[in-house]
Amino acid sequence: MPEAPAGARRQWAADRAMRAPMRSPGRPEPSRAVQREFWRLIATGITTVEASAGVGVSWPVGARWFRHAGGMPPLSLADPTSRYLSFAEREEIALLNAQRMGVREIARAIGRDPGTVSRELRRNAATRGGKPVYRAVVAQWKAQQAAKRPKTAKLVGNERLCEYVQDRLAGNVRRSDGTIVPGPQTRPWKGLNKPHRQDRRWSTAWSPEQISHRLEVDFPDDESMRISHEAIYQSLFIEGRGALKRELVACLRTGRALREPRARSRNKPQGHVTADVVLRERPAEADDRAIPGHWEGDLIIGTGRSAIGTLVERSSRSTLLVHLPRGKGWGEKPYVKNGPSLGGYGAVAMNIALTASITTLPQQLRKTLTWDRGKELSGHAQFALETGTRVFFADPHSPWQRPSNENTNGLLRQYFPKGTDLSRWSAEDLEAVAHALNNRPRKILDWKTPAEVFEEQLRSLQQAGVASTS
C-alpha cells in the first residue's frame, strides 16, 4: 500500500483529534440498504425468518433487529438521495485510491466534487493498523454510524412528564387521601410476549392516547407537558429509549411487548385453505337447505386443550357430537416442540375422530361439511378421500356463514359451560347429550324434533333406493 504524504497524515491526525473516538467496527453490520430491504419485507406481512432469508442475513440477526426496534422500522424506507455516497461509489473510490490516483482524478471518474472525495478519504478511512487506509466496507460503516445522530427522547429529558405518563400508564388507583390501592398479585413480567389473562394487572390503566389528550386538559398553559401517543408507544417498544419501564407493556390493552406489523396480523396461518375449498365453491343446493346431507362443523373449547367436535345437519338440524380424548402421555411427558399433538384436537386426531363419526351415516347424508378456518381440519383432503364428504371453509371472521352450528354451540353450553375441562365427559355422555338435543322440538321445524326430521330423510332415501332398484 503506498505511503501517504506527510501533509495528508498531519491533516488526518488533526481531524481525528477533533472527533470523538470511534470503536473498531470488527465485522461491520450489514449496510442500511440491506436493513431497509429487511423492513420492507416485514411490511409485506412475512415472518422475521423469511425476511432475514430474503436479504441474506441469519435469522438471529433479523430477530435482533426486529426486537431492538420494537417491531417498528428504525429508519426511513425511502431510498437515500444522490446527495450521499453509495456503497458502490465507495468501492470505486477504494479501487482508484489503491491505484494511486489523485483526488481530482477520482472525483472526475465517479462524477463527484473533489471536496467530497477528499473528506471521504480523511473521515472514513480505516485506522485499525494505526495508519489511515481507505476500505469501502469500513467507510460505509463509519458513514452509517455518523448518520444516526440519536435524539434524546422527550420523556428522558422531562422528568415531570415522564412521571405523569408512567403513573397513568401503570393504572394506579388512589384513595381520596392519595394512597395507592394495591391491585391483584401478578407474576413477574419476563419480557416475552403477552402475559396470560390471569396474570394481567387490573384493567384500570389509561391508554397512551388517553394520556396524550388528558395532558392538554390538566396542563392547558404548560406546553412542555405535551407528548403524542405514538411517542409513548415508541418509548415502551424500542430498546435503548430508557424512558419508561419495559414491564409497563403489560398495562396495555393488548399486553403486546412488540408492535405487530399490520400486514402480518392479516396473514394468519391458513395455508390449508386453498381456492377450491372456500365457501363460494360449495354447491348451490347446500344453501337453500332443501336437500339433506350438508353439514356444518366446529369445536367448542374447554380448559387444558380439551374440546368437543360438533356437527349439525343444515336441513334437519340434527346434531352429532365428536369425542376428542387427549392423547396418551398428556400431562405426563414434557412438551416437545413440533412434536405430536396430545391435546385431542390436533389435525391427525381430528381426522380419525371425525371420520369415525360421520361414516356411521349413509353416503347420501354426508355430501359436504362447512368448517371455520381452524388448523384442526388442515388434513381435510385425506378426510374427504376417506369419507367422500367434500369440505369447505367459511370466510374469516364470518360465523353467520355457519348459523345452525353457531346456534347449536350456544345450546350446548348449558351442558358444557365455558371454562371447564371438557375431557371429563366420555363418548357415552356426549351421545346422551346429542340424543337430548335431537329430541327437543324446534320452532324452525314447525315444532318437530331434529330426530323426527332426520328419520323422515332416512325413509325417503330408502324408498328412493327401492324404487331405483325395482
Coordinates of all heavy atoms in Angstrom, one line a residue, residues 351-429:
N351 N -59.0 -35.8 12.4 CA -59.4 -36.6 11.2 C -59.9 -38.0 11.6 O -60.9 -38.5 11.1 CB -58.2 -36.8 10.3 CG -58.2 -35.8 9.1 OD1 -59.0 -34.8 9.1 ND2 -57.4 -36.0 8.1
I352 N -59.2 -38.7 12.5 CA -59.6 -40.0 13.0 C -61.0 -40.0 13.6 O -61.9 -40.7 13.3 CB -58.6 -40.6 13.9 CG1 -57.2 -40.8 13.2 CG2 -59.1 -41.9 14.5 CD1 -56.1 -41.2 14.1
A353 N -61.2 -39.0 14.5 CA -62.4 -38.9 15.3 C -63.6 -38.5 14.4 O -64.7 -39.1 14.4 CB -62.3 -38.0 16.5
L354 N -63.3 -37.6 13.5 CA -64.4 -37.1 12.6 C -64.8 -38.1 11.6 O -66.0 -38.3 11.3 CB -63.9 -35.8 11.9 CG -65.0 -34.8 11.4 CD1 -65.8 -34.4 12.5 CD2 -64.3 -33.6 10.7
T355 N -63.8 -38.9 11.1 CA -64.1 -39.9 10.1 C -65.0 -41.0 10.8 O -65.9 -41.5 10.2 CB -62.8 -40.5 9.6 OG1 -62.1 -39.5 8.9 CG2 -63.1 -41.6 8.6
A356 N -64.6 -41.4 12.0 CA -65.4 -42.4 12.7 C -66.8 -42.0 13.0 O -67.7 -42.8 13.0 CB -64.7 -42.7 14.1
S357 N -67.0 -40.7 13.2 CA -68.4 -40.2 13.5 C -69.3 -40.1 12.2 O -70.4 -40.6 12.2 CB -68.3 -38.9 14.2 OG -67.7 -39.0 15.5
I358 N -68.7 -39.6 11.2 CA -69.5 -39.3 10.0 C -69.7 -40.5 9.1 O -70.7 -40.6 8.4 CB -68.9 -38.1 9.2 CG1 -70.0 -37.4 8.4 CG2 -67.8 -38.6 8.3 CD1 -69.6 -36.1 7.9
T359 N -68.9 -41.5 9.2 CA -69.1 -42.7 8.4 C -70.2 -43.6 9.0 O -70.5 -44.6 8.3 CB -67.8 -43.5 8.3 OG1 -67.2 -43.7 9.6 CG2 -66.8 -42.8 7.4
T360 N -70.7 -43.3 10.1 CA -71.9 -44.0 10.6 C -73.2 -43.6 9.8 O -74.2 -44.3 10.0 CB -72.1 -43.7 12.1 OG1 -72.3 -42.3 12.3 CG2 -70.9 -44.1 12.9
L361 N -73.1 -42.6 9.0 CA -74.2 -42.1 8.2 C -74.2 -42.7 6.8 O -73.1 -43.1 6.3 CB -74.2 -40.6 8.1 CG -74.2 -39.8 9.4 CD1 -74.0 -38.3 9.1 CD2 -75.5 -40.0 10.2
P362 N -75.4 -42.9 6.2 CA -75.4 -43.3 4.8 C -74.6 -42.3 3.9 O -74.5 -41.1 4.2 CB -76.9 -43.3 4.4 CG -77.6 -43.4 5.7 CD -76.7 -42.6 6.7
Q363 N -74.1 -42.8 2.8 CA -73.3 -41.9 1.9 C -74.1 -40.7 1.4 O -73.6 -39.6 1.2 CB -72.8 -42.8 0.7 CG -72.0 -42.0 -0.3 CD -70.7 -41.5 0.3 OE1 -70.0 -42.3 0.9 NE2 -70.4 -40.2 0.1
Q364 N -75.5 -40.9 1.2 CA -76.3 -39.8 0.7 C -76.5 -38.7 1.7 O -76.9 -37.6 1.3 CB -77.7 -40.4 0.3 CG -77.6 -41.4 -0.8 CD -77.6 -42.8 -0.2 OE1 -77.0 -43.0 0.9 NE2 -78.2 -43.8 -0.9
L365 N -76.2 -39.0 3.0 CA -76.4 -38.0 4.0 C -75.0 -37.4 4.5 O -75.0 -36.8 5.5 CB -77.1 -38.5 5.2 CG -78.6 -38.8 5.0 CD1 -79.2 -39.4 6.3 CD2 -79.3 -37.6 4.6
R366 N -74.0 -37.5 3.7 CA -72.7 -36.9 4.0 C -72.1 -36.3 2.8 O -71.0 -36.8 2.3 CB -71.8 -37.8 4.8 CG -71.7 -39.3 4.3 CD -70.9 -40.1 5.2 NE -71.0 -41.5 5.0 CZ -70.1 -42.3 4.3 NH1 -69.0 -41.7 3.9 NH2 -70.3 -43.6 4.2
K367 N -72.7 -35.3 2.2 CA -72.2 -34.7 1.0 C -71.2 -33.7 1.2 O -70.1 -33.7 0.6 CB -73.4 -34.1 0.2 CG -74.5 -35.1 -0.2 CD -75.7 -34.5 -0.8 CE -76.8 -35.5 -1.1 NZ -78.0 -34.9 -1.7
T368 N -71.4 -32.7 2.0 CA -70.5 -31.6 2.3 C -70.4 -31.3 3.8 O -71.3 -31.6 4.5 CB -70.8 -30.3 1.5 OG1 -72.0 -29.8 2.1 CG2 -71.0 -30.5 0.0
L369 N -69.3 -30.7 4.1 CA -69.1 -30.2 5.5 C -68.5 -28.8 5.4 O -67.4 -28.6 4.8 CB -68.1 -31.2 6.3 CG -67.6 -30.7 7.6 CD1 -68.8 -30.5 8.6 CD2 -66.6 -31.7 8.2
T370 N -69.1 -27.9 6.1 CA -68.6 -26.5 6.1 C -68.0 -26.2 7.5 O -68.7 -26.4 8.5 CB -69.8 -25.5 5.9 OG1 -70.4 -25.8 4.6 CG2 -69.2 -24.1 5.9
W371 N -66.7 -25.8 7.5 CA -66.0 -25.6 8.8 C -65.5 -24.2 8.8 O -65.4 -23.5 7.8 CB -64.8 -26.6 8.8 CG -64.3 -27.0 10.2 CD1 -63.3 -26.4 10.9 CD2 -64.8 -28.0 11.0 NE1 -63.1 -27.0 12.1 CE2 -64.0 -28.0 12.2 CE3 -65.8 -29.0 10.9 CZ2 -64.2 -28.9 13.3 CZ3 -66.0 -29.9 12.0 CH2 -65.2 -29.8 13.1
D372 N -65.0 -23.8 10.0 CA -64.3 -22.5 10.1 C -62.9 -22.7 9.7 O -62.5 -23.8 9.2 CB -64.5 -21.8 11.5 CG -63.7 -22.6 12.5 OD1 -63.2 -23.7 12.2 OD2 -63.8 -22.2 13.7
R373 N -62.0 -21.7 9.8 CA -60.7 -21.8 9.3 C -59.7 -22.3 10.3 O -58.5 -22.1 10.2 CB -60.2 -20.5 8.8 CG -61.1 -20.0 7.7 CD -60.4 -19.2 6.6 NE -61.2 -19.0 5.4 CZ -60.8 -18.6 4.3 NH1 -59.5 -18.3 4.1 NH2 -61.6 -18.4 3.2
G374 N -60.1 -23.1 11.3 CA -59.2 -23.6 12.3 C -58.2 -24.6 11.7 O -58.6 -25.4 10.7
K375 N -57.0 -24.7 12.3 CA -56.0 -25.6 11.8 C -56.3 -27.1 12.1 O -55.6 -28.0 11.6 CB -54.6 -25.2 12.4 CG -54.1 -23.9 12.0 CD -53.6 -23.9 10.6 CE -52.3 -24.6 10.4 NZ -51.7 -24.5 9.1
E376 N -57.3 -27.3 13.0 CA -57.6 -28.7 13.3 C -58.1 -29.5 12.1 O -58.0 -30.7 12.2 CB -58.6 -28.8 14.5 CG -60.0 -28.2 14.1 CD -60.1 -26.7 14.3 OE1 -59.1 -26.1 14.7 OE2 -61.2 -26.2 14.0
L377 N -58.6 -28.9 11.1 CA -59.0 -29.6 9.9 C -58.1 -29.4 8.7 O -58.5 -29.4 7.6 CB -60.5 -29.2 9.6 CG -61.3 -30.3 8.9 CD1 -61.5 -31.5 9.9 CD2 -62.7 -29.8 8.5
S378 N -56.8 -29.2 9.0 CA -55.8 -29.0 7.9 C -55.6 -30.2 7.1 O -55.2 -30.1 6.0 CB -54.5 -28.5 8.5 OG -54.0 -29.4 9.4
G379 N -56.0 -31.4 7.6 CA -55.9 -32.6 6.8 C -57.2 -32.9 6.1 O -57.6 -34.1 6.0
H380 N -57.9 -31.9 5.7 CA -59.3 -32.1 5.1 C -59.2 -32.9 3.8 O -60.2 -33.6 3.4 CB -59.9 -30.8 4.8 CG -59.2 -29.9 3.9 ND1 -59.3 -30.0 2.5 CD2 -58.2 -28.9 4.1 CE1 -58.5 -29.1 1.9 NE2 -57.8 -28.5 2.9
A381 N -58.1 -32.9 3.1 CA -58.0 -33.6 1.8 C -58.1 -35.1 2.1 O -58.8 -35.9 1.4 CB -56.8 -33.3 1.1
Q382 N -57.4 -35.6 3.1 CA -57.4 -37.0 3.5 C -58.8 -37.4 4.0 O -59.3 -38.5 3.7 CB -56.3 -37.3 4.6 CG -56.2 -38.7 5.0 CD -55.7 -39.6 3.9 OE1 -55.0 -39.2 3.0 NE2 -56.1 -40.9 3.9
F383 N -59.4 -36.5 4.8 CA -60.8 -36.7 5.3 C -61.8 -36.9 4.2 O -62.6 -37.8 4.2 CB -61.2 -35.6 6.2 CG -62.6 -35.6 6.6 CD1 -63.1 -36.5 7.6 CD2 -63.5 -34.8 6.0 CE1 -64.4 -36.5 8.0 CE2 -64.9 -34.8 6.4 CZ -65.3 -35.7 7.4
A384 N -61.7 -36.0 3.2 CA -62.6 -36.1 2.0 C -62.4 -37.4 1.2 O -63.3 -38.0 0.7 CB -62.4 -34.9 1.1
L385 N -61.1 -37.8 1.1 CA -60.8 -39.0 0.4 C -61.4 -40.3 1.1 O -61.9 -41.2 0.5 CB -59.3 -39.2 0.2 CG -58.8 -40.3 -0.6 CD1 -59.2 -40.1 -2.1 CD2 -57.3 -40.4 -0.6
E386 N -61.3 -40.3 2.4 CA -61.8 -41.5 3.2 C -63.3 -41.5 3.4 O -63.8 -42.6 3.5 CB -61.1 -41.5 4.6 CG -59.6 -41.7 4.5 CD -58.9 -41.6 5.8 OE1 -59.7 -41.3 6.8 OE2 -57.7 -41.8 6.0
T387 N -63.9 -40.4 3.4 CA -65.4 -40.4 3.7 C -66.2 -40.0 2.5 O -67.5 -40.2 2.5 CB -65.7 -39.4 4.8 OG1 -65.3 -38.0 4.4 CG2 -64.8 -39.7 6.1
G388 N -65.7 -39.4 1.5 CA -66.5 -38.9 0.3 C -67.2 -37.7 0.6 O -68.1 -37.2 -0.1
T389 N -66.9 -37.0 1.7 CA -67.5 -35.7 2.1 C -66.6 -34.6 1.8 O -65.5 -34.5 2.3 CB -67.8 -35.7 3.7 OG1 -68.6 -36.8 4.0 CG2 -68.6 -34.4 4.0
R390 N -67.1 -33.7 0.9 CA -66.3 -32.5 0.5 C -66.3 -31.5 1.6 O -67.4 -31.2 2.2 CB -66.8 -32.0 -0.8 CG -66.8 -32.9 -2.0 CD -67.3 -32.2 -3.2 NE -66.5 -31.0 -3.6 CZ -66.9 -30.1 -4.5 NH1 -68.1 -30.3 -5.1 NH2 -66.1 -29.1 -4.8
V391 N -65.2 -30.9 1.9 CA -65.0 -29.9 3.0 C -64.9 -28.6 2.4 O -64.1 -28.4 1.4 CB -63.8 -30.3 3.8 CG1 -63.6 -29.2 4.9 CG2 -63.9 -31.7 4.4
F392 N -65.6 -27.6 2.9 CA -65.5 -26.2 2.5 C -65.3 -25.3 3.8 O -65.8 -25.7 4.9 CB -66.7 -25.7 1.8 CG -67.0 -26.5 0.5 CD1 -67.8 -27.6 0.5 CD2 -66.4 -26.1 -0.7 CE1 -68.0 -28.4 -0.7 CE2 -66.6 -26.8 -1.9 CZ -67.4 -28.0 -1.9
F393 N -64.6 -24.2 3.6 CA -64.2 -23.4 4.7 C -64.9 -22.0 4.6 O -64.9 -21.4 3.5 CB -62.7 -23.2 4.8 CG -62.0 -24.4 5.2 CD1 -61.4 -25.3 4.2 CD2 -61.8 -24.8 6.5 CE1 -60.8 -26.4 4.5 CE2 -61.2 -26.0 6.9 CZ -60.6 -26.8 5.9
A394 N -65.5 -21.6 5.7 CA -66.2 -20.3 5.7 C -65.1 -19.2 5.6 O -63.9 -19.4 5.8 CB -67.0 -20.1 7.0
D395 N -65.6 -18.0 5.3 CA -64.7 -16.8 5.2 C -64.2 -16.4 6.6 O -64.9 -16.8 7.6 CB -65.4 -15.6 4.6 CG -65.8 -15.9 3.2 OD1 -65.1 -16.7 2.5 OD2 -66.8 -15.3 2.7
P396 N -63.0 -15.8 6.8 CA -62.5 -15.4 8.1 C -63.5 -14.5 8.8 O -64.1 -13.6 8.2 CB -61.2 -14.7 7.8 CG -60.8 -15.1 6.4 CD -62.1 -15.4 5.7
H397 N -63.7 -14.7 10.1 CA -64.5 -13.9 11.0 C -65.9 -13.8 10.5 O -66.5 -12.7 10.5 CB -63.9 -12.5 11.1 CG -62.4 -12.5 11.4 ND1 -61.8 -13.1 12.5 CD2 -61.4 -12.0 10.6 CE1 -60.5 -12.9 12.5 NE2 -60.2 -12.3 11.3
S398 N -66.5 -14.9 10.0 CA -67.8 -14.9 9.4 C -68.7 -16.0 10.0 O -69.0 -17.0 9.3 CB -67.8 -15.0 7.9 OG -67.0 -13.9 7.3
P399 N -69.0 -16.0 11.3 CA -69.7 -17.1 11.9 C -71.1 -17.2 11.4 O -71.7 -18.3 11.5 CB -69.7 -16.7 13.4 CG -69.5 -15.3 13.5 CD -68.6 -14.9 12.3
W400 N -71.7 -16.2 10.8 CA -73.0 -16.2 10.2 C -73.1 -17.1 9.0 O -74.2 -17.5 8.6 CB -73.5 -14.8 9.9 CG -72.6 -14.1 8.9 CD1 -72.7 -14.2 7.5 CD2 -71.6 -13.2 9.2 NE1 -71.7 -13.5 6.9 CE2 -71.0 -12.8 7.9 CE3 -71.0 -12.7 10.3 CZ2 -69.9 -12.0 7.8 CZ3 -69.9 -11.9 10.2 CH2 -69.4 -11.5 9.0
Q401 N -72.0 -17.5 8.5 CA -72.0 -18.5 7.3 C -72.2 -19.9 7.8 O -72.3 -20.8 7.0 CB -70.7 -18.3 6.5 CG -70.6 -17.0 5.9 CD -69.3 -16.8 5.1 OE1 -68.3 -17.6 5.2 NE2 -69.2 -15.8 4.3
R402 N -72.1 -20.1 9.1 CA -72.4 -21.4 9.7 C -73.5 -21.2 10.8 O -73.2 -21.5 12.0 CB -71.2 -22.1 10.3 CG -70.1 -22.3 9.3 CD -68.8 -22.9 10.0 NE -68.2 -21.9 10.9 CZ -68.4 -21.9 12.2 NH1 -69.1 -22.9 12.8 NH2 -67.9 -21.0 13.0
P403 N -74.6 -20.7 10.5 CA -75.6 -20.3 11.5 C -76.1 -21.4 12.4 O -76.3 -21.3 13.6 CB -76.7 -19.6 10.7 CG -76.6 -20.2 9.4 CD -75.2 -20.5 9.1
S404 N -76.4 -22.5 11.7 CA -77.0 -23.7 12.5 C -76.0 -24.2 13.5 O -76.4 -24.5 14.7 CB -77.4 -24.8 11.6 OG -78.4 -24.4 10.7
N405 N -74.7 -24.3 13.1 CA -73.7 -24.7 14.0 C -73.5 -23.8 15.2 O -73.3 -24.2 16.3 CB -72.4 -25.0 13.3 CG -71.3 -25.6 14.1 OD1 -70.3 -25.0 14.4 ND2 -71.5 -26.9 14.6
E406 N -73.4 -22.5 14.9 CA -73.2 -21.5 15.9 C -74.4 -21.5 16.9 O -74.1 -21.4 18.2 CB -73.1 -20.1 15.3 CG -71.7 -19.9 14.6 CD -70.6 -19.9 15.5 OE1 -70.7 -19.4 16.6 OE2 -69.5 -20.4 15.1
N407 N -75.6 -21.6 16.4 CA -76.7 -21.6 17.3 C -76.7 -22.9 18.2 O -77.0 -22.8 19.4 CB -78.0 -21.6 16.5 CG -79.3 -21.6 17.4 OD1 -79.3 -20.9 18.4 ND2 -80.2 -22.4 17.0
T408 N -76.3 -24.0 17.6 CA -76.3 -25.3 18.4 C -75.2 -25.2 19.4 O -75.3 -25.7 20.6 CB -76.0 -26.5 17.4 OG1 -77.1 -26.5 16.5 CG2 -76.0 -27.8 18.2
N409 N -74.0 -24.6 19.1 CA -73.0 -24.5 20.1 C -73.4 -23.7 21.3 O -73.0 -23.9 22.4 CB -71.7 -23.8 19.4 CG -71.0 -24.8 18.5 OD1 -71.3 -26.0 18.5 ND2 -70.1 -24.2 17.7
G410 N -74.3 -22.6 21.0 CA -74.8 -21.9 22.2 C -75.7 -22.7 23.0 O -75.7 -22.6 24.3
L411 N -76.5 -23.6 22.4 CA -77.3 -24.5 23.2 C -76.5 -25.5 24.0 O -76.9 -25.9 25.1 CB -78.3 -25.3 22.3 CG -79.3 -24.4 21.5 CD1 -80.1 -25.3 20.5 CD2 -80.2 -23.6 22.4
L412 N -75.4 -26.0 23.4 CA -74.6 -27.0 24.1 C -73.9 -26.4 25.3 O -73.4 -27.2 26.2 CB -73.6 -27.5 23.1 CG -74.1 -28.5 22.0 CD1 -73.1 -28.7 20.9 CD2 -74.6 -29.8 22.6
R413 N -73.7 -25.1 25.4 CA -73.0 -24.5 26.5 C -73.8 -24.7 27.8 O -73.2 -24.6 28.9 CB -72.7 -23.1 26.3 CG -71.5 -22.8 25.4 CD -70.3 -23.4 25.9 NE -69.1 -23.1 25.1 CZ -67.9 -23.6 25.3 NH1 -67.7 -24.4 26.4 NH2 -66.9 -23.3 24.5
Q414 N -75.1 -25.0 27.8 CA -75.8 -25.3 29.0 C -75.4 -26.7 29.6 O -75.6 -27.0 30.8 CB -77.3 -25.3 28.8 CG -77.8 -26.3 27.8 CD -79.3 -26.1 27.6 OE1 -80.1 -25.9 28.5 NE2 -79.7 -26.2 26.3
Y415 N -74.8 -27.6 28.7 CA -74.3 -28.8 29.1 C -72.8 -28.8 29.4 O -72.3 -29.5 30.3 CB -74.6 -29.9 28.1 CG -76.1 -30.1 27.7 CD1 -76.6 -29.5 26.6 CD2 -76.9 -30.8 28.5 CE1 -77.9 -29.6 26.2 CE2 -78.3 -30.9 28.2 CZ -78.8 -30.3 27.1 OH -80.1 -30.5 26.7
F416 N -72.1 -28.0 28.6 CA -70.6 -27.9 28.7 C -70.3 -26.4 28.9 O -69.9 -25.7 27.9 CB -70.0 -28.5 27.4 CG -70.5 -29.8 27.0 CD1 -71.3 -29.9 25.8 CD2 -70.3 -30.9 27.7 CE1 -71.8 -31.1 25.4 CE2 -70.8 -32.2 27.3 CZ -71.6 -32.3 26.2
P417 N -70.3 -25.9 30.1 CA -70.1 -24.5 30.3 C -68.6 -24.1 29.9 O -67.7 -24.9 29.9 CB -70.3 -24.3 31.9 CG -71.0 -25.6 32.3 CD -70.6 -26.6 31.3
K418 N -68.5 -22.8 29.7 CA -67.1 -22.3 29.3 C -66.3 -22.4 30.6 O -66.7 -22.3 31.7 CB -67.2 -20.8 28.9 CG -67.9 -20.7 27.5 CD -67.9 -19.2 27.1 CE -68.5 -19.1 25.7 NZ -68.5 -17.7 25.2
G419 N -65.0 -22.5 30.4 CA -64.0 -22.5 31.5 C -64.0 -23.9 32.2 O -63.4 -23.9 33.3
T420 N -64.5 -24.9 31.6 CA -64.4 -26.2 32.2 C -63.6 -27.2 31.4 O -63.4 -27.0 30.2 CB -65.9 -26.8 32.4 OG1 -66.5 -26.9 31.1 CG2 -66.7 -26.0 33.3
D421 N -63.2 -28.3 32.0 CA -62.4 -29.3 31.3 C -63.4 -30.2 30.6 O -64.1 -31.0 31.2 CB -61.5 -30.0 32.3 CG -60.6 -31.0 31.6 OD1 -60.7 -31.2 30.4 OD2 -59.8 -31.7 32.4
L422 N -63.4 -30.2 29.3 CA -64.4 -30.9 28.5 C -64.0 -32.4 28.4 O -64.8 -33.2 27.9 CB -64.6 -30.3 27.1 CG -65.1 -28.9 27.1 CD1 -65.3 -28.4 25.7 CD2 -66.3 -28.7 27.9
S423 N -62.7 -32.8 28.8 CA -62.3 -34.1 28.7 C -63.0 -35.0 29.7 O -62.8 -36.2 29.7 CB -60.8 -34.2 28.8 OG -60.3 -33.8 30.0
R424 N -63.6 -34.4 30.7 CA -64.2 -35.2 31.8 C -65.4 -36.0 31.3 O -65.8 -37.0 31.9 CB -64.7 -34.3 32.9 CG -65.9 -33.4 32.6 CD -66.3 -32.5 33.7 NE -65.3 -31.5 34.0 CZ -65.5 -30.6 34.9 NH1 -66.6 -30.5 35.6 NH2 -64.6 -29.6 35.1
W425 N -66.0 -35.7 30.1 CA -67.2 -36.4 29.6 C -66.7 -37.4 28.6 O -65.9 -37.2 27.7 CB -68.2 -35.4 29.0 CG -68.9 -34.6 30.0 CD1 -69.9 -35.0 30.8 CD2 -68.6 -33.2 30.3 NE1 -70.3 -34.0 31.6 CE2 -69.6 -32.9 31.3 CE3 -67.7 -32.2 29.8 CZ2 -69.6 -31.6 31.9 CZ3 -67.8 -31.0 30.4 CH2 -68.7 -30.7 31.4
S426 N -67.3 -38.6 28.7 CA -67.0 -39.7 27.9 C -67.8 -39.7 26.6 O -68.7 -38.8 26.4 CB -67.3 -41.0 28.6 OG -68.7 -41.2 28.9
A427 N -67.5 -40.6 25.7 CA -68.2 -40.7 24.4 C -69.7 -41.0 24.7 O -70.6 -40.5 24.0 CB -67.6 -41.7 23.5
E428 N -70.0 -41.8 25.7 CA -71.4 -42.2 26.0 C -72.1 -40.9 26.6 O -73.3 -40.7 26.3 CB -71.4 -43.3 27.1 CG -71.0 -44.6 26.6 CD -69.5 -44.7 26.4 OE1 -68.7 -43.9 27.0 OE2 -69.0 -45.6 25.8
D429 N -71.4 -40.1 27.3 CA -72.0 -38.8 27.8 C -72.4 -37.9 26.6 O -73.5 -37.3 26.6 CB -71.1 -38.1 28.8 CG -70.8 -38.9 30.0 OD1 -71.7 -39.7 30.4 OD2 -69.7 -38.7 30.6

